Amino acid sequence: MNYKRHTVTAALPYANGPLHIGHLAGCYLPADIYVRYLRLKGDDVIFICGSDEHGVPITIKAKKEGITPQQVVDKYHKLMGDTFSDFGISFDIYSRTSGKVHHETASDFFKTLYAKQIFREEVTEQYYDEKAKQFLADRYIVGTCPKCGNENAYGDQCEKCGTSLSPTELINPRSTLSGEKPVLKKTKNWFLPLDKMQPDIERYIETHKDWKTNVYGQCKSWLNQGLQARAMTRDLDWGVKVPVEGAEGKVLYVWFDAPIGYISATKELVEEKRKSNPQSKTLDWTLYWKDKETRLVHFIGKDNIVFHCIIFPAMLMAHGNYILPDNVPANEFLNLEGDKISTSRNWAVWLHEYLIDFKNKQDVLRYVLCSNAPETKDNDFTWKDFQAKNNNELVAILGNFVNRTLVLTEKYYNGIVPEADTLTNNDLALLDEILQFPKKISSSLDAFRFREALAELMNMARAGNKYLADNEPWKMASTNDARVRTVMNISLQIAANLTVLMEPFLPHSAKKLSTLLNLHNLKWSDTNRTDLLKPGHKLGKAELLYDKIEDIEIEKQIQKLIDSKKMNDSQMPQPAADAQAALQQPKPDITFDDFSKMDIRVGTIVEAERVPKTDKLLKLTIDTGIDRRTVVSGIAGFYNPENIIGQKVSLLVNLAPRTIKGITSQGMILMAENSNGELSFVSPTKQNSNNGSVIK
RNA sequence: GGCGAGGUAGCUCAGAUGGUUAGAGCGCAGGAUUCAUAACCCUGAGGUGGAGAGUUCGACCCUCUCCCUCGCUACCA
């Protein structure tokens, strides 16, 4: 199908933290490359993004920091917008979901579905905090986990045992807002009946078998499991107000409102264009969302597949008149030095920090992240690889080719493009080869194969290097001017074509190269010729496109990560964590007799192994001084069995035995838990306590 | 446990519908060269294609079993 225009979106980043390399590699960089390529071809394209600013985690962060949700999102909206712009992510608009246009758009969208009676209304009982006068999101309720007895389980999940919970399952629930016991109160919510819509969604997915296997496969997986109706409203005061009667104190579910953010941002963009350009007066946003000749493409990370491939299309179908996503090229995840990127563990390369350490090297990161992008499977980013790709590819191949061409031209012809003499068969063959690259790169980009496209770009620079090496103009400088002029002319034409082809991937470098060549405003279609630089054209002064990165700079980055790791191991309490802990109320008083019923002893771990087919359990053999006994403990997420042999622990020895996974556990190891649910052994600080020593 | 995606050279990864000697870049070894940021260019070594079985004239690609990694989901303290 031939489309007249493209609406390209990049996932709205959630405004509760800064951006890291995973964001860029997974979503924003491929999207930007694709859009720049389309623009160079002269296609009508809009590139949409913005901050996702609603939802419970932002309200929690605000509470922890003692500021308003609006202050949280203002801070990160600014930071993320600046970061994108620094890295040359060329959004036509970077909007935000707390904006007025978005609230109206999302609200209208909901009203339309409501009027069409799409929603299923359900009254359920939810916890309500009478003191704070509001319904409590699952995350705002803590209580005792019915499964493991953890007294600080959240309403949606017990972080200790990992069980998914609903708030009503908690024993002794408490509100984290006031510490009060919440009461159950009836509340009405509106559900999108995905179960009923499943056949339509299936038909839609079936017409897109061309999607990437990871995307299509994930969709099939969801469909096979059967879709469930999802509540599209929440009892919360931060978000888009639900615009129907009887919905006071409710907002739209963040995943309902976020994708609508693409539409609101489009409206804003079109409005801007109309104001600034008289020719755009009649431009209408619906062109980009409701015209069958518009191609809608969503760039996202794999965590968003279900929302963009199933829920959002379902919303659009239910609304009617909208076009549906034609492709959703989701990437997998990027790891960092072999470990998962983690914000809470500070295991990340933060983009705003990168630009401080590697000033003006945004293209280097773009290059490395694209050439190693997680297109088909999770990939690993390492600093050594980053250095190697910079030094051996950008510097040695691309930068070097451009530099030697310019330096030679400067030396022989004072920086003026020489006229080619008779072309040899080899020259013609090379020119033919050069003209193949734009086609190869196009077809790779059309298929969202960005790594392949970038590799071809580098191959073109290689071909240039080889051409120079084969023809050795420096050997004939004084003997065969006609030949030297020809070789230099051809080399310069290659550089000129590179300027265009590299622009989507390396926009900053492309701009610099344009200046060096004194050649501007080229289009993709200009790459079908090899006479872009006319004889007599004056070039700019030769300058290096890229600098080598020394070992010491890389070691500094690696050290930074090692420090993060140390920090995590020592489990420094975070201020925010303390604030959270302070909210937990003390338990009711007990007597000394109650306490003395517990027999807590010092013990030593003498054997440890993982319990098969579980994520969290270790089977431990403990020397208690009295005996040796087996204890099953849920600490595998925090300790490796081989590292804890000989560890002194505190053990509740007279806890009634319990069989877990077929193993009889005799006792319970006491652990200190921080607010992130991370566990640490509690043991005597002096070595003078033998096994069996009583803890009292 | 169920589902999805993967497991290909030392490293990071490509390989349309099954068809002759399985590819690239980096790294490594040798050579050539000096215009260029000791860069470029050439040559070479390196793979029982996770393991095993099956279908086929023929399988990295299809089927089955098992092992490992990642994700979703379930269960578990």
Side-chain angles (χ1 to χ4, degrees), chain A residues 55-57 110 126 135-139 156 187-192 229-242 247-256 307:
Chain A
V56 175
F110 186 90
Q126 302 279 330
F135 280 98
L136 296 166
D138 296 354
R139 277 261 139 182
D156 56 348
T187 179
K188 182 155 71 176
N189 276 296
W190 286 265
F191 286 69
L192 188 65
R230 278 203 185 220
M232 293 291 129
T233 57
R234 292 292 144 100
D235 290 293
L236 187 70
D237 61 357
W238 176 243
V240 178
K241 301 270 173 282
V242 177
E248 290 72 32
K250 295 178 201 297
V251 297
L252 301 183
Y253 176 41
V254 63
W255 268 111
F256 183 85
F307 294 104

mmCIF file of all heavy atoms in Angstrom, chain A residues 55-57 110 126 135-139 156 187-192 229-242 247-256 307:
data_model
loop_
_atom_site.group_PDB
_atom_site.id
_atom_site.type_symbol
_atom_site.label_atom_id
_atom_site.label_comp_id
_atom_site.label_asym_id
_atom_site.label_seq_id
_atom_site.Cartn_x
_atom_site.Cartn_y
_atom_site.Cartn_z
ATOM 1 N N GLY A 55 -0.822 8.710 36.769
ATOM 2 C CA GLY A 55 -0.611 7.389 37.349
ATOM 3 C C GLY A 55 -0.095 7.430 38.777
ATOM 4 O O GLY A 55 0.415 8.433 39.261
ATOM 5 N N VAL A 56 -0.248 6.310 39.438
ATOM 6 C CA VAL A 56 0.041 6.202 40.860
ATOM 7 C C VAL A 56 1.523 6.404 41.216
ATOM 8 O O VAL A 56 1.831 7.105 42.187
ATOM 9 C CB VAL A 56 -0.461 4.836 41.401
ATOM 10 C CG1 VAL A 56 -0.068 4.652 42.855
ATOM 11 C CG2 VAL A 56 -1.978 4.757 41.247
ATOM 12 N N PRO A 57 2.463 5.817 40.462
ATOM 13 C CA PRO A 57 3.867 5.961 40.892
ATOM 14 C C PRO A 57 4.309 7.411 41.041
ATOM 15 O O PRO A 57 5.101 7.726 41.940
ATOM 16 C CB PRO A 57 4.643 5.254 39.772
ATOM 17 C CG PRO A 57 3.683 4.241 39.258
ATOM 18 C CD PRO A 57 2.334 4.907 39.338
ATOM 19 N N PHE A 110 -13.123 9.524 25.993
ATOM 20 C CA PHE A 110 -13.872 8.706 26.948
ATOM 21 C C PHE A 110 -15.373 8.913 26.782
ATOM 22 O O PHE A 110 -16.156 7.968 26.773
ATOM 23 C CB PHE A 110 -13.444 9.047 28.375
ATOM 24 C CG PHE A 110 -14.053 8.153 29.408
ATOM 25 C CD1 PHE A 110 -13.419 6.989 29.798
ATOM 26 C CD2 PHE A 110 -15.281 8.487 29.996
ATOM 27 C CE1 PHE A 110 -13.990 6.154 30.749
ATOM 28 C CE2 PHE A 110 -15.862 7.651 30.944
ATOM 29 C CZ PHE A 110 -15.207 6.483 31.321
ATOM 30 N N GLN A 126 -14.026 -0.940 47.279
ATOM 31 C CA GLN A 126 -12.617 -0.568 47.341
ATOM 32 C C GLN A 126 -12.340 0.053 48.704
ATOM 33 O O GLN A 126 -13.233 0.621 49.326
ATOM 34 C CB GLN A 126 -12.296 0.481 46.262
ATOM 35 C CG GLN A 126 -12.603 0.046 44.856
ATOM 36 C CD GLN A 126 -11.498 -0.838 44.298
ATOM 37 O OE1 GLN A 126 -10.341 -0.698 44.656
ATOM 38 N NE2 GLN A 126 -11.871 -1.762 43.418
ATOM 39 N N PHE A 135 -10.312 7.340 48.041
ATOM 40 C CA PHE A 135 -10.098 5.920 47.785
ATOM 41 C C PHE A 135 -8.611 5.678 47.678
ATOM 42 O O PHE A 135 -7.841 6.556 47.287
ATOM 43 C CB PHE A 135 -10.790 5.497 46.488
ATOM 44 C CG PHE A 135 -12.261 5.259 46.679
ATOM 45 C CD1 PHE A 135 -13.189 6.250 46.354
ATOM 46 C CD2 PHE A 135 -12.708 4.038 47.160
ATOM 47 C CE1 PHE A 135 -14.537 6.028 46.539
ATOM 48 C CE2 PHE A 135 -14.056 3.808 47.325
ATOM 49 C CZ PHE A 135 -14.981 4.809 47.019
ATOM 50 N N LEU A 136 -8.223 4.481 47.997
ATOM 51 C CA LEU A 136 -6.803 4.167 48.040
ATOM 52 C C LEU A 136 -6.418 3.264 46.877
ATOM 53 O O LEU A 136 -7.000 2.195 46.691
ATOM 54 C CB LEU A 136 -6.473 3.468 49.358
ATOM 55 C CG LEU A 136 -6.702 4.330 50.600
ATOM 56 C CD1 LEU A 136 -6.685 3.464 51.858
ATOM 57 C CD2 LEU A 136 -5.650 5.423 50.689
ATOM 58 N N ALA A 137 -5.435 3.711 46.115
ATOM 59 C CA ALA A 137 -4.884 2.842 45.093
ATOM 60 C C ALA A 137 -4.232 1.655 45.773
ATOM 61 O O ALA A 137 -3.825 1.740 46.934
ATOM 62 C CB ALA A 137 -3.846 3.603 44.274
ATOM 63 N N ASP A 138 -4.141 0.561 45.050
ATOM 64 C CA ASP A 138 -3.609 -0.672 45.642
ATOM 65 C C ASP A 138 -2.281 -0.430 46.346
ATOM 66 O O ASP A 138 -1.990 -0.996 47.387
ATOM 67 C CB ASP A 138 -3.415 -1.731 44.553
ATOM 68 C CG ASP A 138 -4.752 -2.134 43.936
ATOM 69 O OD1 ASP A 138 -5.797 -1.671 44.450
ATOM 70 O OD2 ASP A 138 -4.748 -2.897 42.966
ATOM 71 N N ARG A 139 -1.484 0.418 45.735
ATOM 72 C CA ARG A 139 -0.144 0.670 46.255
ATOM 73 C C ARG A 139 -0.149 1.488 47.547
ATOM 74 O O ARG A 139 0.872 1.615 48.213
ATOM 75 C CB ARG A 139 0.679 1.439 45.211
ATOM 76 C CG ARG A 139 1.282 0.557 44.171
ATOM 77 C CD ARG A 139 2.730 0.271 44.511
ATOM 78 N NE ARG A 139 3.061 -1.118 44.251
ATOM 79 C CZ ARG A 139 4.276 -1.635 44.501
ATOM 80 N NH1 ARG A 139 5.227 -0.893 45.002
ATOM 81 N NH2 ARG A 139 4.516 -2.885 44.263
ATOM 82 N N ASP A 156 -1.254 -4.541 45.933
ATOM 83 C CA ASP A 156 -1.270 -5.246 44.650
ATOM 84 C C ASP A 156 -0.308 -6.425 44.643
ATOM 85 O O ASP A 156 -0.428 -7.327 43.843
ATOM 86 C CB ASP A 156 -0.927 -4.288 43.499
ATOM 87 C CG ASP A 156 0.407 -3.584 43.711
ATOM 88 O OD1 ASP A 156 0.945 -3.653 44.841
ATOM 89 O OD2 ASP A 156 0.891 -2.960 42.768
ATOM 90 N N THR A 187 -17.712 1.569 44.983
ATOM 91 C CA THR A 187 -17.323 2.544 43.974
ATOM 92 C C THR A 187 -17.574 1.953 42.599
ATOM 93 O O THR A 187 -17.514 0.739 42.401
ATOM 94 C CB THR A 187 -15.841 2.939 44.133
ATOM 95 O OG1 THR A 187 -15.501 3.875 43.104
ATOM 96 C CG2 THR A 187 -14.939 1.728 43.986
ATOM 97 N N LYS A 188 -17.875 2.869 41.669
ATOM 98 C CA LYS A 188 -18.205 2.412 40.318
ATOM 99 C C LYS A 188 -17.019 2.692 39.405
ATOM 100 O O LYS A 188 -16.401 3.749 39.463
ATOM 101 C CB LYS A 188 -19.430 3.174 39.824
ATOM 102 C CG LYS A 188 -19.879 2.748 38.446
ATOM 103 C CD LYS A 188 -21.349 3.035 38.223
ATOM 104 C CE LYS A 188 -21.638 4.517 38.089
ATOM 105 N NZ LYS A 188 -23.047 4.796 37.768
ATOM 106 N N ASN A 189 -16.698 1.732 38.566
ATOM 107 C CA ASN A 189 -15.657 1.959 37.571
ATOM 108 C C ASN A 189 -16.110 1.465 36.206
ATOM 109 O O ASN A 189 -17.039 0.669 36.100
ATOM 110 C CB ASN A 189 -14.348 1.285 37.993
ATOM 111 C CG ASN A 189 -13.562 2.166 38.947
ATOM 112 O OD1 ASN A 189 -13.135 3.249 38.580
ATOM 113 N ND2 ASN A 189 -13.426 1.713 40.185
ATOM 114 N N TRP A 190 -15.437 1.965 35.172
ATOM 115 C CA TRP A 190 -15.836 1.664 33.801
ATOM 116 C C TRP A 190 -14.804 0.766 33.135
ATOM 117 O O TRP A 190 -13.619 1.118 33.083
ATOM 118 C CB TRP A 190 -16.023 2.964 33.004
ATOM 119 C CG TRP A 190 -17.272 3.674 33.404
ATOM 120 C CD1 TRP A 190 -18.480 3.576 32.795
ATOM 121 C CD2 TRP A 190 -17.436 4.561 34.510
ATOM 122 N NE1 TRP A 190 -19.413 4.350 33.458
ATOM 123 C CE2 TRP A 190 -18.803 4.966 34.522
ATOM 124 C CE3 TRP A 190 -16.596 5.044 35.525
ATOM 125 C CZ2 TRP A 190 -19.320 5.849 35.471
ATOM 126 C CZ3 TRP A 190 -17.111 5.914 36.474
ATOM 127 C CH2 TRP A 190 -18.455 6.302 36.439
ATOM 128 N N PHE A 191 -15.269 -0.355 32.654
ATOM 129 C CA PHE A 191 -14.359 -1.364 32.103
ATOM 130 C C PHE A 191 -14.455 -1.407 30.581
ATOM 131 O O PHE A 191 -15.551 -1.321 30.015
ATOM 132 C CB PHE A 191 -14.709 -2.759 32.658
ATOM 133 C CG PHE A 191 -14.296 -2.940 34.094
ATOM 134 C CD1 PHE A 191 -14.945 -2.252 35.114
ATOM 135 C CD2 PHE A 191 -13.262 -3.801 34.425
ATOM 136 C CE1 PHE A 191 -14.569 -2.412 36.436
ATOM 137 C CE2 PHE A 191 -12.876 -3.975 35.744
ATOM 138 C CZ PHE A 191 -13.525 -3.282 36.749
ATOM 139 N N LEU A 192 -13.328 -1.557 29.951
ATOM 140 C CA LEU A 192 -13.305 -1.788 28.512
ATOM 141 C C LEU A 192 -13.409 -3.302 28.315
ATOM 142 O O LEU A 192 -12.546 -4.049 28.765
ATOM 143 C CB LEU A 192 -11.994 -1.267 27.921
ATOM 144 C CG LEU A 192 -11.884 -1.267 26.396
ATOM 145 C CD1 LEU A 192 -12.890 -0.306 25.768
ATOM 146 C CD2 LEU A 192 -10.468 -0.889 25.960
ATOM 147 N N ALA A 229 -11.557 -8.000 30.586
ATOM 148 C CA ALA A 229 -11.988 -6.603 30.650
ATOM 149 C C ALA A 229 -11.050 -5.857 31.591
ATOM 150 O O ALA A 229 -10.585 -6.408 32.582
ATOM 151 C CB ALA A 229 -13.415 -6.520 31.170
ATOM 152 N N ARG A 230 -10.767 -4.623 31.251
ATOM 153 C CA ARG A 230 -9.874 -3.827 32.094
ATOM 154 C C ARG A 230 -10.549 -2.539 32.519
ATOM 155 O O ARG A 230 -11.178 -1.876 31.680
ATOM 156 C CB ARG A 230 -8.614 -3.435 31.323
ATOM 157 C CG ARG A 230 -7.582 -4.491 31.288
ATOM 158 C CD ARG A 230 -6.249 -3.833 31.027
ATOM 159 N NE ARG A 230 -5.235 -4.866 30.873
ATOM 160 C CZ ARG A 230 -4.006 -4.773 31.371
ATOM 161 N NH1 ARG A 230 -3.639 -3.699 32.026
ATOM 162 N NH2 ARG A 230 -3.135 -5.729 31.189
ATOM 163 N N ALA A 231 -10.373 -2.190 33.776
ATOM 164 C CA ALA A 231 -10.944 -0.934 34.259
ATOM 165 C C ALA A 231 -10.194 0.222 33.609
ATOM 166 O O ALA A 231 -8.977 0.242 33.592
ATOM 167 C CB ALA A 231 -10.834 -0.845 35.766
ATOM 168 N N MET A 232 -10.932 1.158 33.046
ATOM 169 C CA MET A 232 -10.321 2.308 32.393
ATOM 170 C C MET A 232 -10.400 3.553 33.269
ATOM 171 O O MET A 232 -10.081 4.652 32.834
ATOM 172 C CB MET A 232 -11.024 2.582 31.049
ATOM 173 C CG MET A 232 -10.796 1.488 30.018
ATOM 174 S SD MET A 232 -9.084 1.430 29.442
ATOM 175 C CE MET A 232 -8.696 -0.300 29.664
ATOM 176 N N THR A 233 -10.875 3.353 34.494
ATOM 177 C CA THR A 233 -10.939 4.477 35.433
ATOM 178 C C THR A 233 -10.361 4.029 36.765
ATOM 179 O O THR A 233 -10.322 2.843 37.058
ATOM 180 C CB THR A 233 -12.396 4.925 35.649
ATOM 181 O OG1 THR A 233 -13.152 3.801 36.105
ATOM 182 C CG2 THR A 233 -13.002 5.450 34.365
ATOM 183 N N ARG A 234 -9.920 4.999 37.530
ATOM 184 C CA ARG A 234 -9.327 4.697 38.830
ATOM 185 C C ARG A 234 -9.808 5.714 39.856
ATOM 186 O O ARG A 234 -10.075 6.878 39.500
ATOM 187 C CB ARG A 234 -7.803 4.775 38.764
ATOM 188 C CG ARG A 234 -7.155 3.695 37.928
ATOM 189 C CD ARG A 234 -7.319 2.335 38.599
ATOM 190 N NE ARG A 234 -7.524 1.315 37.592
ATOM 191 C CZ ARG A 234 -6.576 0.483 37.143
ATOM 192 N NH1 ARG A 234 -5.379 0.543 37.648
ATOM 193 N NH2 ARG A 234 -6.863 -0.409 36.240
ATOM 194 N N ASP A 235 -9.869 5.299 41.090
ATOM 195 C CA ASP A 235 -10.176 6.237 42.171
ATOM 196 C C ASP A 235 -8.885 6.904 42.604
ATOM 197 O O ASP A 235 -8.115 6.351 43.363
ATOM 198 C CB ASP A 235 -10.814 5.498 43.342
ATOM 199 C CG ASP A 235 -12.210 5.034 42.988
ATOM 200 O OD1 ASP A 235 -13.073 5.908 42.806
ATOM 201 O OD2 ASP A 235 -12.422 3.815 42.864
ATOM 202 N N LEU A 236 -8.677 8.073 42.071
ATOM 203 C CA LEU A 236 -7.401 8.755 42.285
ATOM 204 C C LEU A 236 -7.656 10.219 41.956
ATOM 205 O O LEU A 236 -8.590 10.539 41.223
ATOM 206 C CB LEU A 236 -6.363 8.156 41.318
ATOM 207 C CG LEU A 236 -4.902 8.582 41.441
ATOM 208 C CD1 LEU A 236 -4.311 8.013 42.723
ATOM 209 C CD2 LEU A 236 -4.092 8.070 40.249
ATOM 210 N N ASP A 237 -6.839 11.120 42.496
ATOM 211 C CA ASP A 237 -7.115 12.518 42.180
ATOM 212 C C ASP A 237 -6.085 13.108 41.224
ATOM 213 O O ASP A 237 -6.101 14.286 40.940
ATOM 214 C CB ASP A 237 -7.202 13.363 43.459
ATOM 215 C CG ASP A 237 -5.891 13.331 44.230
ATOM 216 O OD1 ASP A 237 -4.971 12.610 43.792
ATOM 217 O OD2 ASP A 237 -5.804 14.011 45.250
ATOM 218 N N TRP A 238 -5.166 12.275 40.729
ATOM 219 C CA TRP A 238 -4.121 12.786 39.830
ATOM 220 C C TRP A 238 -4.304 12.165 38.448
ATOM 221 O O TRP A 238 -4.042 10.986 38.261
ATOM 222 C CB TRP A 238 -2.735 12.453 40.388
ATOM 223 C CG TRP A 238 -1.601 12.862 39.490
ATOM 224 C CD1 TRP A 238 -0.696 12.040 38.893
ATOM 225 C CD2 TRP A 238 -1.270 14.186 39.075
ATOM 226 N NE1 TRP A 238 0.175 12.760 38.130
ATOM 227 C CE2 TRP A 238 -0.146 14.083 38.219
ATOM 228 C CE3 TRP A 238 -1.826 15.455 39.328
ATOM 229 C CZ2 TRP A 238 0.451 15.200 37.626
ATOM 230 C CZ3 TRP A 238 -1.227 16.557 38.738
ATOM 231 C CH2 TRP A 238 -0.109 16.433 37.902
ATOM 232 N N GLY A 239 -4.797 12.991 37.522
ATOM 233 C CA GLY A 239 -5.007 12.460 36.186
ATOM 234 C C GLY A 239 -6.121 13.206 35.485
ATOM 235 O O GLY A 239 -6.495 14.313 35.890
ATOM 236 N N VAL A 240 -6.654 12.608 34.435
ATOM 237 C CA VAL A 240 -7.749 13.224 33.690
ATOM 238 C C VAL A 240 -9.057 12.822 34.347
ATOM 239 O O VAL A 240 -9.364 11.641 34.481
ATOM 240 C CB VAL A 240 -7.737 12.754 32.216
ATOM 241 C CG1 VAL A 240 -8.913 13.364 31.462
ATOM 242 C CG2 VAL A 240 -6.407 13.119 31.547
ATOM 243 N N LYS A 241 -9.799 13.819 34.774
ATOM 244 C CA LYS A 241 -11.073 13.544 35.457
ATOM 245 C C LYS A 241 -12.015 12.744 34.558
ATOM 246 O O LYS A 241 -12.114 13.025 33.362
ATOM 247 C CB LYS A 241 -11.759 14.858 35.827
ATOM 248 C CG LYS A 241 -10.907 15.732 36.743
ATOM 249 C CD LYS A 241 -11.167 15.440 38.203
ATOM 250 C CE LYS A 241 -10.214 16.184 39.112
ATOM 251 N NZ LYS A 241 -8.852 15.594 39.208
ATOM 252 N N VAL A 242 -12.677 11.776 35.141
ATOM 253 C CA VAL A 242 -13.644 11.003 34.354
ATOM 254 C C VAL A 242 -14.859 11.891 34.098
ATOM 255 O O VAL A 242 -15.502 12.357 35.044
ATOM 256 C CB VAL A 242 -14.061 9.727 35.109
ATOM 257 C CG1 VAL A 242 -15.123 8.982 34.324
ATOM 258 C CG2 VAL A 242 -12.848 8.828 35.333
ATOM 259 N N ALA A 247 -18.907 10.320 38.773
ATOM 260 C CA ALA A 247 -17.513 9.888 38.716
ATOM 261 C C ALA A 247 -16.603 10.874 39.422
ATOM 262 O O ALA A 247 -15.438 11.003 39.084
ATOM 263 C CB ALA A 247 -17.087 9.698 37.268
ATOM 264 N N GLU A 248 -17.141 11.551 40.412
ATOM 265 C CA GLU A 248 -16.314 12.492 41.150
ATOM 266 C C GLU A 248 -15.180 11.739 41.834
ATOM 267 O O GLU A 248 -15.372 10.635 42.352
ATOM 268 C CB GLU A 248 -17.141 13.243 42.207
ATOM 269 C CG GLU A 248 -18.142 14.232 41.628
ATOM 270 C CD GLU A 248 -19.330 13.542 40.963
ATOM 271 O OE1 GLU A 248 -19.708 12.450 41.434
ATOM 272 O OE2 GLU A 248 -19.843 14.089 39.963
ATOM 273 N N GLY A 249 -14.016 12.337 41.830
ATOM 274 C CA GLY A 249 -12.877 11.710 42.502
ATOM 275 C C GLY A 249 -12.278 10.562 41.706
ATOM 276 O O GLY A 249 -11.512 9.764 42.244
ATOM 277 N N LYS A 250 -12.626 10.475 40.431
ATOM 278 C CA LYS A 250 -12.054 9.411 39.611
ATOM 279 C C LYS A 250 -11.306 10.015 38.430
ATOM 280 O O LYS A 250 -11.660 11.075 37.920
ATOM 281 C CB LYS A 250 -13.157 8.491 39.074
ATOM 282 C CG LYS A 250 -13.880 7.719 40.158
ATOM 283 C CD LYS A 250 -14.978 6.863 39.561
ATOM 284 C CE LYS A 250 -16.037 6.490 40.597
ATOM 285 N NZ LYS A 250 -15.519 5.669 41.686
ATOM 286 N N VAL A 251 -10.277 9.305 38.012
ATOM 287 C CA VAL A 251 -9.538 9.732 36.829
ATOM 288 C C VAL A 251 -9.413 8.559 35.859
ATOM 289 O O VAL A 251 -9.660 7.412 36.224
ATOM 290 C CB VAL A 251 -8.116 10.234 37.186
ATOM 291 C CG1 VAL A 251 -8.184 11.466 38.063
ATOM 292 C CG2 VAL A 251 -7.305 9.130 37.841
ATOM 293 N N LEU A 252 -9.048 8.898 34.644
ATOM 294 C CA LEU A 252 -8.844 7.861 33.645
ATOM 295 C C LEU A 252 -7.610 7.045 33.999
ATOM 296 O O LEU A 252 -6.615 7.585 34.484
ATOM 297 C CB LEU A 252 -8.659 8.486 32.254
ATOM 298 C CG LEU A 252 -9.824 9.349 31.757
ATOM 299 C CD1 LEU A 252 -9.528 9.850 30.339
ATOM 300 C CD2 LEU A 252 -11.126 8.559 31.775
ATOM 301 N N TYR A 253 -7.682 5.771 33.753
ATOM 302 C CA TYR A 253 -6.538 4.869 33.921
ATOM 303 C C TYR A 253 -5.398 5.392 33.059
ATOM 304 O O TYR A 253 -5.589 5.790 31.922
ATOM 305 C CB TYR A 253 -6.981 3.483 33.463
ATOM 306 C CG TYR A 253 -5.914 2.418 33.461
ATOM 307 C CD1 TYR A 253 -4.988 2.310 34.488
ATOM 308 C CD2 TYR A 253 -5.877 1.472 32.437
ATOM 309 C CE1 TYR A 253 -4.039 1.308 34.485
ATOM 310 C CE2 TYR A 253 -4.939 0.463 32.422
ATOM 311 C CZ TYR A 253 -4.012 0.382 33.446
ATOM 312 O OH TYR A 253 -3.077 -0.613 33.430
ATOM 313 N N VAL A 254 -4.189 5.387 33.646
ATOM 314 C CA VAL A 254 -3.073 6.022 32.955
ATOM 315 C C VAL A 254 -2.823 5.393 31.574
ATOM 316 O O VAL A 254 -2.437 6.062 30.627
ATOM 317 C CB VAL A 254 -1.801 5.998 33.830
ATOM 318 C CG1 VAL A 254 -1.358 4.567 34.095
ATOM 319 C CG2 VAL A 254 -0.686 6.798 33.187
ATOM 320 N N TRP A 255 -3.113 4.119 31.455
ATOM 321 C CA TRP A 255 -2.903 3.483 30.158
ATOM 322 C C TRP A 255 -4.026 3.760 29.168
ATOM 323 O O TRP A 255 -3.924 3.437 27.995
ATOM 324 C CB TRP A 255 -2.668 1.976 30.304
ATOM 325 C CG TRP A 255 -1.213 1.717 30.411
ATOM 326 C CD1 TRP A 255 -0.528 1.283 31.508
ATOM 327 C CD2 TRP A 255 -0.236 1.923 29.381
ATOM 328 N NE1 TRP A 255 0.811 1.216 31.226
ATOM 329 C CE2 TRP A 255 1.021 1.592 29.936
ATOM 330 C CE3 TRP A 255 -0.289 2.359 28.060
ATOM 331 C CZ2 TRP A 255 2.196 1.684 29.205
ATOM 332 C CZ3 TRP A 255 0.882 2.451 27.336
ATOM 333 C CH2 TRP A 255 2.112 2.106 27.906
ATOM 334 N N PHE A 256 -5.123 4.292 29.685
ATOM 335 C CA PHE A 256 -6.153 4.763 28.764
ATOM 336 C C PHE A 256 -5.739 6.130 28.244
ATOM 337 O O PHE A 256 -5.800 6.404 27.050
ATOM 338 C CB PHE A 256 -7.502 4.851 29.484
ATOM 339 C CG PHE A 256 -8.650 5.272 28.590
ATOM 340 C CD1 PHE A 256 -9.338 4.329 27.840
ATOM 341 C CD2 PHE A 256 -9.031 6.612 28.501
ATOM 342 C CE1 PHE A 256 -10.386 4.712 27.019
ATOM 343 C CE2 PHE A 256 -10.079 6.996 27.681
ATOM 344 C CZ PHE A 256 -10.762 6.047 26.940
ATOM 345 N N PHE A 307 -0.143 -2.910 25.224
ATOM 346 C CA PHE A 307 -0.942 -1.686 25.186
ATOM 347 C C PHE A 307 -1.072 -1.129 23.772
ATOM 348 O O PHE A 307 -2.135 -0.640 23.394
ATOM 349 C CB PHE A 307 -0.328 -0.628 26.103
ATOM 350 C CG PHE A 307 -0.382 -1.032 27.536
ATOM 351 C CD1 PHE A 307 0.747 -1.482 28.194
ATOM 352 C CD2 PHE A 307 -1.595 -1.006 28.221
ATOM 353 C CE1 PHE A 307 0.696 -1.891 29.515
ATOM 354 C CE2 PHE A 307 -1.666 -1.407 29.541
ATOM 355 C CZ PHE A 307 -0.514 -1.851 30.192
#
